[in-house]
Amino acid sequence: MLSIALAGKPNAGKSTFYKAATLADVDIANYPFTTIDANRGVTHARTRCPCLDREERCGDEHCHDGKRYVPVELYDVAGLVPGAHEGRGLGNQFLDELSNADAILHVVDASGATNEEGEPVEPGSYDPVDEVTFIEEEMNQWLAGIVARNWESVQRKSRSPDFDLDDALTDLLTGFGASEYDVAAVLREVEYPEDPIQWTDEDRERLARELRARTKPIVLVANKVDAAPDGTVERLREETGKTVVPATADGELALRKGVEAGVVDYDPGDEDFEILGDLSGSQEQGLEKIREVMTEYGGTGVQDALDEAVYGLLDHLTAFPVQNESKWTDGQGNVLPDAFLLPRGSTPRDLAYAVHSDIGDGYLHAVDARENRRISDEQELEEGDVIKIVSTAK
Ligand SMILES: Nc1nc2c(ncn2[C@@H]2O[C@H](COP(=O)(O)OP(=O)(O)OP(=O)(O)O)[C@@H](O)[C@H]2O)c(=O)[nH]1
Ligand SMILES: [Mg+2]
C-alpha cells in the first residue's frame, strides 16, 4: 500500500488532518507536541469508478455512487522544530518514522498564528513560508546525518577490489526507501569525489538533499486557510515553487463527524455538502462557515491533498482487476471488487504481481475488459483500466 506521512511543525493541524482522513481517535489540542507517538491508519485516494461507464453502480463500500476510494496508508507524526535532526523537541525518532513514507504532506499553519515551535503568537505574525524552509532542511539534515554516521562502512567497502559506490549507497539507504535506481539517478546528477575517503560533509549533504527530494517528495498543505491572511496561499506557491493545496482540516473533520451523526450528506472530496437533519443554530452557523471556505477553495482540501500526493506527485494510476471480463466481477460476483494504485508506466504483469505474487509468477496474458480484447504485455496501463489477468495460478 502507498504510504503518506504528515509532517510539519507542532500545532499545524497534522492530527486534525489525520483524524479527518481516517476517523481514528487521536488527540488534538492547541499546544505544541500534543502527539507524542506516531499514529498510523488507513485513508483513501479518490478517483472515478469505472462503474460509471456501466448501467449499475458497483455498490462496493469503497464506491459512493461512482466516487471510488482506494486505500492508502497515512502516518501522523510528532511535530518537528528547528534542530529536530539533532534531537530537539521530540527529535530524531519521528524523523525516522518518515523512512517508510512514499510521499510527505507537509501541513503548514497558513494562519501564521503559531511560531516555529508551534506556540501561539499574534495571528499573521509568523510567516508560514519560513516553516516550509526549515522543515525541509530538517529532513535533509536528518538524512545527511544517517549517511555521515554510516560513511565508515562505505569507506571500508571501498578497499575491496569489486567496490561499487552505487551498491554501497543502496545498501546504506534502502531502509530509507531509496532504490538502486534512485541512488544511480542522484549520483548522475551530483558531482562527487571518486574515493569515498575524500567525501566532505558538503558532499554528503548534497547527496542527502537530492535523495530526499527524490524519495520523499512534498506537497504543501496550507492548513487553517479559514484563518489565513489574504494572499497567503498565493505567496506560498510563489515563494516555494511547490504544489500547495489550501485546506481546512478541522472543517473536514466537522463534516465527517456530521456524516457519522447522520446530519450531513457529504463524500470526502466533494466541493459542497448538504445539511440533512435539524441542527442547533450554532451548529448550523459552524457548518455555513465551512461552506464559505469550501466555496472559495473548491472543497476542504483534505481529500485534494491526498489525491495530489497519489496521482500528482507520485504519478500513480488506478487499475481494477476482475475475473469475469464481461460482468467485471470476481469469483463471488462482486462488481469491481479491487482497485490497485500502480506507478504510471506499469504493465498488466505489474498489476498481476500487485494482486498476488503467485498470480504474477503464473501470468499468461491480460484482457482489457472495456474493449474485451487481449492486450500486449508491454502495454502501459491507464487510469481506470479494468483488466482480467489470465494466470496459471488461481
Ligand atoms: N482555524 C483552524 N484551526 C485548525 C484547523 N485544523 C486544526 N486546527 C487547530 O489547530 C490546533 C492544533 O491541531 P493538531 O491537529 O493537534 O496539531 P498537530 O500538528 O497534530 O500538533 P502536534 O501534535 O502538537 O505536533 C488545534 O487547536 C486544532 O483545532 C483548521 O483547519 N482551521
Ligand atoms: Mg498531533
Side-chain angles (χ1 to χ4, degrees):
M1 208 187 291
L2 276 184
S3 187
I4 296 174
L6 295 164
K9 71 179 189 183
N11 221 347
K14 299 178 296 297
S15 295
T16 309
F17 187 112
Y18 175 84
K19 184 168 185 172
T22 62
L23 283 180
D25 213 10
V26 292
D27 295 334
I28 295 173
N30 183 27
Y31 47 79
F33 300 124
T34 305
T35 303
I36 51 171
D37 287 316
N39 299 301
R40 181 178 171 167
V42 174
T43 183
H44 301 91
R46 170 173 159 165
T47 189
R48 180 183 182 280
C49 188
C51 73
L52 286 169
D53 300 325
R54 312 261 286 190
E55 251 162 48
E56 276 184 57
R57 302 291 74 83
C58 49
D60 185 275
E61 60 168 314
H62 292 312
C63 175
H64 302 182
D65 259 342
K67 300 163 198 168
R68 182 77 184 216
Y69 293 90
V70 190
V72 183
E73 189 174 59
L74 190 66
Y75 274 77
D76 170 33
V77 303
L80 301 172
V81 292
H85 73 279
E86 292 164 328
R88 269 201 75 226
L90 292 170
N92 271 325
Q93 175 191 353
F94 292 98
L95 280 160
D96 289 343
E97 297 279 350
L98 300 179
S99 298
N100 299 311
D102 295 301
I104 289 173
L105 289 180
H106 177 184
V107 181
V108 173
D109 180 349
S111 74
T114 54
N115 65 16
E116 59 190 8
E117 310 281 325
E119 295 152 353
V121 294
E122 184 67 26
S125 69
Y126 180 78
D127 184 355
V129 171
D130 293 342
E131 76 194 70
V132 176
T133 324
F134 99 72
I135 292 284
E136 193 168 324
E137 192 53 23
E138 283 306 321
M139 293 197 271
N140 292 342
Q141 291 296 337
W142 158 65
L143 183 57
I146 295 175
V147 175
R149 280 196 298 282
N150 290 284
W151 200 252
E152 234 185 82
S153 80
V154 177
Q155 287 182 352
R156 215 175 313 119
K157 285 182 187 164
S158 74
R159 293 187 201 119
S160 134
D162 57 357
F163 172 72
D164 181 78
L165 183 63
D166 283 50
D167 288 349
L169 285 177
T170 305
D171 283 351
L172 177 68
L173 293 161
T174 43
F176 173 75
S179 66
E180 200 182 327
Y181 183 73
D182 292 323
V183 170
V186 166
L187 286 180
R188 263 200 311 274
E189 280 159 30
V190 298
E191 277 189 31
Y192 58 90
E194 277 306 311
D195 184 353
I197 293 169
Q198 320 221 298
W199 278 54
T200 60
D201 280 346
E202 284 83 79
D203 291 322
R204 283 183 283 269
E205 274 171 31
R206 194 160 42 228
L207 173 82
R209 190 168 302 124
E210 295 295 326
L211 262 174
R212 202 281 311 146
R214 191 180 173 86
T215 60
K216 308 288 171 217
I218 298 174
V219 171
L220 296 181
V221 180
N223 192 37
K224 309 194 192 180
V225 77
D226 53 291
D230 285 346
T232 306
V233 174
E234 291 72 17
R235 224 161 44 72
L236 274 166
R237 283 199 180 111
E238 277 162 24
E239 294 189 28
T240 67
K242 288 192 169 23
T243 305
V244 179
V245 182
T248 171
D250 71 358
E252 175 78 9
L253 182 56
L255 290 179
R256 296 223 192 173
K257 282 185 169 164
V259 171
E260 271 194 326
V263 294
V264 169
D265 183 17
Y266 168 76
D267 287 318
D270 286 354
E271 293 185 4
D272 200 359
F273 62 90
E274 235 179 280
I275 296 176
L276 300 174
D278 267 339
L279 296 177
S280 74
S282 67
Q283 280 175 318
E284 192 164 333
Q285 265 178 5
L287 286 173
E288 290 307 331
K289 270 221 167 102
I290 296 168
R291 199 194 305 275
E292 277 171 33
V293 180
M294 291 172 79
T295 308
E296 186 171 353
Y297 295 100
T300 69
V302 168
Q303 186 64 57
D304 291 342
L306 292 163
D307 295 347
E308 183 57 42
V310 171
Y311 295 112
L313 200 60
L314 295 171
D315 201 16
H316 274 48
L317 56 83
T318 328
F320 299 78
V322 294
Q323 281 183 37
N324 183 315
E325 68 267 41
S326 49
K327 294 187 175 144
W328 294 10
T329 53
D330 63 10
Q332 282 80 50
N334 302 308
V335 182
L336 294 167
D338 290 314
F340 286 87
L341 291 167
L342 300 171
R344 197 161 291 282
S346 294
T347 62
R349 193 188 294 271
D350 296 322
L351 174 61
Y353 272 106
V355 174
H356 197 283
S357 59
D358 291 346
I359 306 273
D361 288 341
Y363 176 87
L364 296 172
H365 68 267
V367 176
D368 177 340
R370 288 179 183 275
E371 310 283 335
N372 217 338
R373 67 179 171 82
R374 198 165 150 166
I375 49 174
S376 121
D377 298 351
E378 276 76 54
Q379 182 163 326
E380 292 186 3
L381 297 172
E382 283 178 27
E383 173 62 34
D385 271 354
V386 182
I387 304 287
K388 175 189 166 83
I389 307 280
V390 181
S391 169
T392 56
K394 277 279 165 294

